[in-house]
Amino acid sequence: MLVAFWGPARGQGRTTSNMAVVAATIALDHHIRVLMTHTHLKQGVLEHVFSQTRAAAQAATSGGMDAIERLVQCGMLTPEGIRDHAESILKDRLELLSGSLNTEKHTAKLLLPHIFKDYRRFYDLLFVDLSAEDDPEVVSLVMEQADLIVVNLSQNQVSLNTYFETSGRSPVPGDKQVLYCLGAYERSSRMNKERIIKQYRLKKSAVGIVPYHTGFMDAQNERRTVPFLLKAREVRTRFLEFSEDRTFTAAVRGMGQLILQTLEISALPELEAAND
């Protein structure tokens, strides 16, 4: 299944950050094999936030999209080729098909159809990070192929109005399944999830959040996203005691569950899978 993460306003919805943490949490929680990639011309945020977990040998080689491009040009791309040139983030669970290391522009719209055709052999889910500044043809290509589009929004009312009340929805095909993710979510804001759902007449089951968390922001900056998630999910609190880590983890898990439920994927939780 192909899940496209997209946001109408660059930086406001934290599209890449949201996709990274949701994909990693799904992979940690379930016996599902996930592949991530993006449509940007060069390596960037997605590679950065996972760089501590990426194997040094893999990160330094010309793999990822550069390798895919060479195989496509030779007519030799296979499902095994995609698997072999993806970098392991969580063994047998989460992998990253990184962007280009070359200064020369590669053509995403020529490479992506080959990836979309062959990734299913080894992966249950493919997450694709789309930028609001991407080539419109590339955005259209990914959205048309997507099984689900996650639109990443902020709590900024001007941006919300622009998306819901004008032509802001135009890149999203009307016949596609859509979920909304509120990134860097502030629960104390008056423009909260409940108000957004009511004001823009959304289904409760179509809206999830990734809360703002200073520790998560620092972990991304310091390239230790996976260690942060592993530590946060182990936090124990007393009854009625607020825990930012547990609240964050629960919200991200909830966003992941919305995705799995919408795609009708019944996945075993990690604990059950380990006991089989």
Side-chain angles (χ1 to χ4, degrees):
M1 296 283 194
L2 197 166
V3 181
F5 269 65
W6 173 82
R10 184 184 181 189
Q12 289 192 17
R14 307 291 180 90
T15 303
T16 304
S17 173
N18 294 344
M19 191 187 86
V21 70
V22 171
T25 298
I26 288 176
L28 285 167
D29 281 348
H30 302 283
H31 197 67
I32 291 177
R33 193 160 183 179
V34 180
L35 176 65
M36 301 177 295
T37 192
H38 60 77
T39 57
H40 319 324
L41 294 179
K42 298 179 181 179
Q43 296 194 7
V45 175
L46 198 57
E47 288 83 4
H48 177 90
V49 301
F50 287 115
S51 60
Q52 189 183 89
T53 318
R54 298 162 67 198
Q58 289 179 312
T61 59
S62 184
M65 283 294 185
D66 290 329
I68 298 300
E69 183 172 21
R70 292 193 296 270
L71 291 172
V72 168
Q73 288 174 344
C74 297
M76 298 176 63
L77 182 65
T78 63
E80 289 79 7
I82 296 174
R83 178 199 60 190
D84 292 345
H85 293 290
E87 301 173 19
S88 177
I89 307 299
L90 294 167
K91 183 175 173 57
D92 297 328
R93 293 297 179 84
L94 181 66
E95 296 181 1
L96 169 64
L97 192 58
S98 60
S100 177
L101 288 172
N102 296 332
T103 56
E104 294 183 7
K105 179 179 177 180
H106 68 264
T107 309
K109 63 184 178 183
L110 296 180
L111 304 183
L112 290 172
H114 297 276
I115 297 170
F116 295 163
K117 179 172 69 73
D118 289 333
Y119 79 90
R120 292 178 178 84
R121 173 80 174 273
F122 294 105
Y123 302 98
D124 302 297
L125 286 172
L126 170 61
F127 283 80
V128 181
D129 172 25
L130 290 167
S131 168
E133 296 185 343
D134 278 339
D135 180 343
E137 290 187 27
V138 173
V139 173
S140 177
L141 168 65
V142 176
M143 288 190 175
E144 288 295 342
Q145 292 297 315
D147 298 288
L148 172 65
I149 298 169
V150 179
V151 177
N152 294 263
L153 302 168
S154 70
Q155 290 163 276
N156 181 296
Q157 188 160 17
V158 173
S159 295
L160 290 168
N161 288 344
T162 299
Y163 179 75
F164 286 110
E165 298 178 2
T166 65
S167 60
R169 303 192 201 197
S170 58
V172 181
D175 61 340
K176 291 292 179 177
Q177 297 190 99
V178 175
L179 293 177
Y180 301 97
C181 180
L182 303 174
Y185 181 78
E186 293 280 4
R187 63 191 186 94
S188 59
S189 170
R190 292 183 182 179
M191 185 57 74
N192 56 30
K193 174 184 172 182
E194 290 71 26
R195 180 176 173 182
I196 291 171
I197 288 172
K198 182 178 181 180
Q199 182 167 332
Y200 299 104
R201 300 178 182 179
L202 305 176
K203 294 181 180 179
K204 290 183 179 180
S205 60
V207 183
I209 64 172
V210 173
Y212 178 81
H213 188 326
T214 303
F216 174 56
M217 180 185 69
D218 288 343
Q220 289 192 305
N221 287 335
E222 296 165 5
R223 310 181 181 194
R224 50 181 180 85
T225 299
V226 171
F228 166 82
L229 292 175
L230 290 171
K231 183 178 180 180
R233 65 203 290 119
E234 296 300 325
V235 169
R236 296 291 181 266
T237 58
R238 297 177 182 177
F239 182 61
L240 296 181
E241 180 181 61
F242 176 76
S243 167
E244 189 175 15
D245 285 342
R246 288 186 66 81
T247 300
F248 179 84
T249 300
V252 175
R253 280 175 165 162
M255 187 70 234
Q257 284 301 312
L258 285 181
I259 290 173
L260 296 181
Q261 290 167 8
T262 303
L263 294 174
E264 299 182 349
I265 295 177
S266 299
L268 281 176
E270 171 61 24
L271 183 60
E272 292 183 26
N275 292 333
D276 284 350

